[in-house]
């Protein structure tokens, strides 16, 4: 008689736990990936604790605690902006928007790319050819230009930025997933599943998707860094949400305040460095995940 511990569900979860443990053991050997993960964990904790650390009043222009464009001091470690607000507080608060936009935009981009890639790889024929021609069109068009066009014609909000980035940056994921889908569907167990009556949805959801998920996971971490950089660029160009604080918006405010010509480096450097550090951390994590999932890429440091 079959017990609960030997049921298919229990065995499936046991295999998943074993795979996760094996993945973590391999990931821990990648020092660069560990450093990126630790830095991201710290930045995320700071962003989540922003209301406790700096309070929501840090965004208020009318209740700014300092004078305009004060240089770094004991009271304001990173100085103040043109309204007298603490740049350290704005930097901490801006992490919430920048990380949120990066995560959600990357999730949307990867979801679209995964769906298109699996469908194109599974069905093949004219559908695959049509899907790849559309993908090629998005590939040859600069992603930033398309995002600027969408952000311009749509209302200015955080969700507009997320959609603009998500719907313009999926082609790379689609091509990678399509190639992996074709490789997976050439394996014997796919033919066996079809012979046993498995339909299109069964093959794609139960056999193809689990096998392409490692690739999707690695691609997601790389897409997040690109999404954060694109969000900062859109905000710097004045296409972000003016009612929220983000790192790109801080750079835009610094430009409008003449921080470049006036030499107010403390206004420009912190948000720019923050964007670069977070993008680097996600890239390090993505490369480490790739090297673990595909050992042929070589060992990471």
């Amino acid at each position: 008689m079959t017990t609960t511990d030997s049921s298919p569900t229990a065995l499936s979860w046991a295999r998943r736990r074993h795979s996760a443990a094996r993945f973590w053991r391999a990931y821990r050997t990648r020092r660069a990936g560990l450093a990126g993960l630790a830095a991201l964990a710290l930045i995320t904790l700071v962003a989540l604790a922003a209301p406790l650390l700096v309070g929501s009043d840090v965004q208020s222009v009318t209740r700014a605690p300092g004078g305009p464009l004060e240089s770094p001091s004991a009271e304001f470690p990173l100085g103040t902006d043109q309204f007298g607000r603490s740049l350290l507080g704005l930097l901490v608060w801006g992490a919430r928007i920048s990380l949120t936009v990066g995560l959600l935009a990357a999730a949307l981009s990867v979801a679209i790319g995964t769906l298109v890639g699996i469908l194109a790889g599974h069905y093949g024929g004219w559908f695959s050819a049509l899907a790849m021609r559309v993908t090629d069109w998005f590939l040859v068009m600069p992603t930033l230009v398309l995002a600027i066009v969408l952000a311009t014609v749509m209302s200015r909000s955080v969700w507009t930025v997320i959609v603009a980035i998500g719907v313009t940056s999926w082609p790379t994921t689609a091509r990678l997933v399509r190639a992996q889908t074709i490789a997976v569907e050439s394996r014997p167990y796919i033919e066996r599943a079809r012979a046993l009556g498995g339909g299109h949805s069964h093959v794609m959801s139960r056999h193809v998707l689990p096998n392409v998920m490692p690739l999707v996971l690695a691609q997601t971490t790389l897409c997040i860094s690109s999404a954060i950089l694109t969000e900062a660029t859109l905000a710097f160009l004045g296409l972000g949400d003016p009612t929220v604080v983000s790192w790109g918006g801080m750079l835009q405010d610094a430009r409008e305040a003449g921080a470049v010509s006036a030499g107010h480096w403390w206004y420009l450097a912190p948000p720019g460095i923050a964007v670069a550090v977070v993008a680097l951390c996600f890239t390090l994590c993505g490369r480490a995940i790739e090297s673990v999932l595909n050992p042929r890429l070589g060992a990471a440091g």
Side-chain angles (χ1 to χ4, degrees):
M1 185 172 61
T2 303
T3 62
T4 304
D5 292 338
S6 60
S7 66
T9 303
L11 292 174
S12 176
W13 279 108
R15 286 195 297 268
R16 291 174 185 175
R17 287 194 297 269
H18 177 72
S19 298
R22 184 174 54 189
F23 170 82
W24 175 242
R25 284 195 300 270
Y27 187 91
R28 286 186 302 178
T29 64
R30 273 66 178 179
R31 290 172 293 180
L34 272 182
L37 183 62
L40 284 177
L42 178 61
I43 294 170
T44 302
L45 286 175
V46 171
L48 292 175
L52 300 176
L53 295 175
V54 299
S56 58
D57 288 344
V58 70
Q59 304 178 79
S60 175
V61 175
T62 58
R63 294 191 295 273
L69 298 174
E70 290 186 17
S71 59
S73 62
E75 184 179 4
F76 304 109
L78 296 181
T80 62
D81 66 356
Q82 73 268 37
F83 303 113
R85 299 178 296 180
S86 170
L87 284 175
L88 178 59
L90 293 176
L91 190 71
V92 171
W93 197 267
R96 297 167 66 89
I97 296 299
S98 295
L99 289 176
T100 299
V101 171
L103 290 170
L104 294 181
L108 177 60
S109 170
V110 170
I112 296 174
T114 301
L115 178 63
V116 173
I118 289 178
L119 291 176
H122 176 78
Y123 286 104
W126 67 268
F127 179 83
S128 178
L130 177 61
M132 288 302 99
R133 297 297 77 76
V134 174
T135 302
D136 290 341
W137 184 85
F138 275 93
L139 278 174
V140 299
M141 289 294 292
T143 299
L144 181 59
V145 174
L146 290 176
I148 289 174
V149 171
L150 286 178
T152 302
V153 300
M154 300 171 68
S155 60
R156 293 175 62 184
S157 68
V158 172
W159 290 107
T160 295
V161 175
I162 292 172
V163 171
I165 298 173
V167 301
T168 57
S169 56
W170 56 267
T172 302
T173 303
R175 280 205 163 274
L176 291 173
V177 172
R178 174 180 175 270
Q180 184 70 9
T181 300
I182 294 174
V184 170
E185 296 216 356
S186 64
R187 296 171 183 171
Y189 65 84
I190 297 294
E191 294 184 11
R192 185 163 56 248
R194 287 172 174 161
L196 293 174
H200 294 295
S201 60
H202 174 82
V203 171
M204 287 188 288
S205 62
R206 299 298 297 272
H207 298 288
V208 176
L209 183 60
N211 281 281
V212 303
M213 280 307 295
L215 173 66
V216 170
L217 176 61
Q219 185 66 16
T220 300
T221 58
L222 299 176
C223 287
I224 292 173
S225 61
S226 299
I228 291 176
L229 290 171
T230 305
E231 184 277 332
T233 303
L234 292 176
F236 179 75
L237 295 175
L239 298 175
D241 189 343
T243 63
V244 299
V245 175
S246 70
W247 292 336
M250 292 176 65
L251 290 172
Q252 164 68 0
D253 292 340
R255 184 185 67 84
E256 291 182 347
V260 178
S261 58
H264 298 316
W265 60 268
W266 64 87
Y267 203 164
L268 290 166
I273 292 174
V275 171
V277 167
V278 171
L280 175 62
C281 289
F282 275 112
T283 301
L284 291 176
C285 291
R287 295 303 182 190
I289 292 173
E290 278 187 330
S291 66
V292 170
L293 299 178
N294 186 2
R296 287 176 297 176
L297 294 175

